[in-house]
């Protein structure tokens, strides 16, 4: 989400005549897009700003320094008061005003600006993209923001306070943006939101037994040239039969589902205000595997939520074993100011959180490694995205089940769907050979 917001702000500035600086040391404007989901992320952003003020500002006093995003939203004016080098604070509903505020600062009209207000219609303002243009780095995947905010109020989460109430864009508006991206060469779109499965609940509602989110998937699916659709982040409650059934019916919808279970203990799920049970989650996973047996399923889990006993934690361990996730993102509970869980009794000591984190990691890593091992010798379809992050001499792509595959290839294959044979695995990475040359390559070779 933050990557996408940053891209939209950068695109807005480029449209106004700014250009992207190769490094912060040469930039005239440095904006840090911030996350509030854990305290460590906030401390990192503040530390980074201190560093920028000391380094960049010392040599180039007119550089504009600013914060945007969730921490900007929650701390607002306090950031200007605490960090005198900061000029601009832009909240989560004000990203589209960044260029205007920079103009005011550069022209001397205003010295410092903090805007963290609410703004009607702001959910539809994250729409401009910067797509890399050259053959080696061209963008073949893109994120599209479909909604902002969340009404779920999980007791550990700060998002409803930093991103506001759920607000959804219209289907034609989103489809228009996706269509433009497809015309510019994008092959895969990830629909984005804090809780995408709640998309359009109030604005659009259920039609013919299909939730607004499924209606949106169907509309995006119609776009010519687009080959793959993904979405993040959903809520387990949102995997109704209509969505499960869409996985069997919409071929562009990739066989990949993120189901953030958070805990395997019903008692803890209730304290978290998640609105589902362990059995409910397992039933969804079962239904998804019935309709798409090879589907890749990932999850988020919090360990050490207030009141979590050894028994509760063991329920999480056993859920991870039963669900057999392809991968799991595990977080040690981090109290967030003004959220109900921060003041709940029986906060779990840090060393117990660390220990549970490690035990759970061992379990999910072992299961994940087995899932990746099982791919060896198999043929998989990947969308070739570009140079591998670790070794740019190689290319990387993603399977429909959302696994990264690295292989030796040529630039010409970027943007193509390619069949690869997997010959080995690394840590949550597959390595393949284009042993089976697909039709697209045959055609391009003969031209
Ligand atoms: S559903 Fe997700 S974004 Fe919304 S409050 Fe819960 S954890 Fe936060």
């Amino acid at each position: 989400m933050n990557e996408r917001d940053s891209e939209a702000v950068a695109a807005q500035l480029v449209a106004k005549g700014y250009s992207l600086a190769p490094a912060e040391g040469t930039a005239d404007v440095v904006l840090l897009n911030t996350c509030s989901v854990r305290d460590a992320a906030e401390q990192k952003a503040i530390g980074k700003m201190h560093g920028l003020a000391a380094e960049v500002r010392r040599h180039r006093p007119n550089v504009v320094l600013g914060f945007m995003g969730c921490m900007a939203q929650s701390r607002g004016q306090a950031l200007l008061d605490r960090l005198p080098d900061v000029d601009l604070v832009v909240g989560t509903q004000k990203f589209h005003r960044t260029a205007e505020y920079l103009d005011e600062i550069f022209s001397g009209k205003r010295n410092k600006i903090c805007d963290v207000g609410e703004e009607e219609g702001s959910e539809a303002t994250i729409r401009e993209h910067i797509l890399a243009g050259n053959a080696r780095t061209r963008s073949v995947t893109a994120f599209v923001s479909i909604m902002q905010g969340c009404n779920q109020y999980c007791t550990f989460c700060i998002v409803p306070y930093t991103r506001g109430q759920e607000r959804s864009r219209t289907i034609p508006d989103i489809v228009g943006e996706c269509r433009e991206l497809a015309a510019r060469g994008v092959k895969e779109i990830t629909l984005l939101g804090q809780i995408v499965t709640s998309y359009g609940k109030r604005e659009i509602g259920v039609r013919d037994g299909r939730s607004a989110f499924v209606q949106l998937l169907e509309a995006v699916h119609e776009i010519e040239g687009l080959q793959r659709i993904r979405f993040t982040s959903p809520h387990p409650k949102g995997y109704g039969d209509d969505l499960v059934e869409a996985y069997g019916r919409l071929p562009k919808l990739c066989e990949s589902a993120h189901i953030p279970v958070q805990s395997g203990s019903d008692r803890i799920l209730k304290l978290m205000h998640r609105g589902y049970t362990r059995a409910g989650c397992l039933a969804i996973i079962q239904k998804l595997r019935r309709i798409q047996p090879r589907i890749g399923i990932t999850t988020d889990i919090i360990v050490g939520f207030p009141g979590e006993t050894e028994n509760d934690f063991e329920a999480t361990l056993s859920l991870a074993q039963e669900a057999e996730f392809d991968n799991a993102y595990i977080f040690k509970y981090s109290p967030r100011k003004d959220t109900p869980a921060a003041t709940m009794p029986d906060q779990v000591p840090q060393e117990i959180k660390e220990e549970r984190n490690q035990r759970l990691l061992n379990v999910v890593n072992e299961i994940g490694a087995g899932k990746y091992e099982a791919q060896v010798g198999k043929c998989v379809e990947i969308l070739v995205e570009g140079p591998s992050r670790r070794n740019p001499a190689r290319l990387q792509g993603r399977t429909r089940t959302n696994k990264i595959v690295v292989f030796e290839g040529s630039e010409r294959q970027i943007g193509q769907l390619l069949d690869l044979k997997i010959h080995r695995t690394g840590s949550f990475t597959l390595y393949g050979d284009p042993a089976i040359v697909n039709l697209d390559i045959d055609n391009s070779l003969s031209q």
Side-chain angles (χ1 to χ4, degrees), residues 11 75 145 237 331 367:
R75 299 196 181 206
S145 175
K237 279 197 313 188
F331 305 93
I367 294 168

Side-chain angles (χ1 to χ4, degrees), residues 150-154 156-160 194-195 235 262 274:
C150 181
N151 295 354
Q152 178 65 29
Y153 290 95
C154 300
F156 55 81
C157 184
I158 200 166
V159 165
Q194 275 82 35
I195 179 161
H235 190 284
Q262 307 299 1
R274 291 292 289 172

Side-chain angles (χ1 to χ4, degrees), residues 69-352:
C70 286
M71 186 181 73
Q73 183 70 39
S74 64
R75 299 196 181 206
Q77 181 65 34
L79 287 170
L80 292 183
D81 299 341
R82 177 173 164 193
L83 296 151
D85 281 292
V86 175
D87 309 291
L88 181 60
V89 174
V90 180
T92 54
Q93 300 194 30
K94 300 292 180 175
F95 292 124
H96 57 293
R97 304 218 172 268
T98 307
E100 174 187 326
Y101 291 149
L102 286 172
D103 280 352
E104 291 184 29
I105 291 173
F106 279 125
S107 66
K109 249 198 212 162
R110 289 164 82 183
N111 205 6
K112 290 184 184 269
I113 300 176
C114 170
D115 188 358
V116 294
E118 290 182 5
E119 187 169 328
E120 205 177 313
S122 60
E123 67 280 4
T125 60
I126 307 293
R127 65 177 338 278
E128 305 310 325
H129 293 259
I130 292 188
L131 299 182
N134 80 48
R136 201 156 167 72
T137 58
R138 76 189 180 90
S139 308
V140 297
T141 62
F143 291 115
V144 170
S145 175
I146 63 168
M147 66 180 301
Q148 292 276 315
C150 181
N151 295 354
Q152 178 65 29
Y153 290 95
C154 300
T155 53
F156 55 81
C157 184
I158 200 166
V159 165
Y161 311 97
T162 57
R163 292 276 177 170
Q165 293 285 295
E166 288 165 14
R167 290 123 37 226
S168 299
R169 296 171 66 185
T170 65
I171 291 180
D173 190 27
I174 297 166
V175 169
E177 182 178 336
C178 295
R179 200 171 275 132
E180 274 169 38
L181 288 166
R184 290 166 73 185
V186 167
K187 305 282 191 235
E188 176 183 302
I189 279 175
T190 302
L191 303 175
L192 270 188
Q194 275 82 35
I195 179 161
V196 284
T197 41
S198 290
Y199 167 80
K201 258 191 175 162
R202 274 157 311 143
E203 299 91 336
I204 299 167
V206 177
R207 285 199 192 133
D208 300 328
R210 287 171 190 165
S211 65
F213 182 59
V214 171
Q215 293 169 49
L216 174 66
L217 287 175
E218 288 171 346
V220 173
H221 194 269
E222 292 295 303
I223 297 172
E224 221 173 291
L226 189 65
Q227 287 170 318
R228 289 177 163 193
I229 305 170
R230 302 185 191 274
F231 56 85
T232 197
S233 233
H235 190 284
K237 279 197 313 188
Y239 283 89
D241 286 348
D242 59 333
L243 179 55
V244 171
E245 184 257 324
Y247 277 97
R249 181 166 64 81
L250 303 176
K252 293 180 185 175
L253 181 58
C254 289
E255 298 88 324
S256 165
H258 186 65
I259 303 181
V261 294
Q262 307 299 1
S263 171
S265 154
D266 283 341
R267 195 180 72 81
I268 295 295
L269 287 172
K270 206 163 178 194
L271 285 173
M272 287 177 165
H273 192 234
R274 291 292 289 172
Y276 53 80
T277 60
R278 169 200 178 96
C281 276
L282 287 168
I284 293 163
I285 292 169
Q286 208 176 31
K287 281 188 203 171
L288 285 167
R289 289 200 170 123
R290 205 174 297 137
I291 208 145
Q292 284 292 358
R294 290 181 315 154
I295 195 165
I297 298 183
T298 54
T299 193
D300 296 329
I301 299 175
I302 295 174
V303 294
F305 185 81
E308 184 189 73
T309 62
E310 179 61 22
N311 277 350
D312 293 317
F313 175 67
E314 278 173 14
T316 299
L317 277 179
S318 73
L319 174 72
Q321 275 153 342
E322 245 179 276
E324 297 191 335
F325 298 111
D326 291 65
N327 201 353
Y329 304 94
I330 303 170
F331 305 93
K332 287 166 272 184
Y333 170 71
S334 164
R336 310 309 295 119
K337 198 168 143 281
D338 299 330
T339 59
T343 50
M344 280 182 184
D346 305 322
Q347 297 283 325
V348 176
Q350 192 60 22
E351 60 276 16
I352 294 183

Side-chain angles (χ1 to χ4, degrees), residues 370-414:
K371 294 245 169 187
Y372 276 68
E373 270 307 315
Q375 298 294 313
V376 175
K378 294 208 169 127
C379 277
V380 293
E381 179 203 275
I382 65 158
L383 173 64
V384 185
E385 293 178 356
S388 155
R389 284 199 181 171
R390 287 213 193 123
N391 177 359
R394 294 181 179 169
L395 294 181
Q396 79 170 40
R398 222 168 266 268
T399 66
R400 290 178 60 91
T401 58
N402 210 16
K403 296 181 174 63
I404 290 177
V405 187
V406 173
F407 70 105
E408 309 274 351
S410 93
E411 269 172 21
R412 175 166 60 70
Q413 291 164 324
I414 295 172

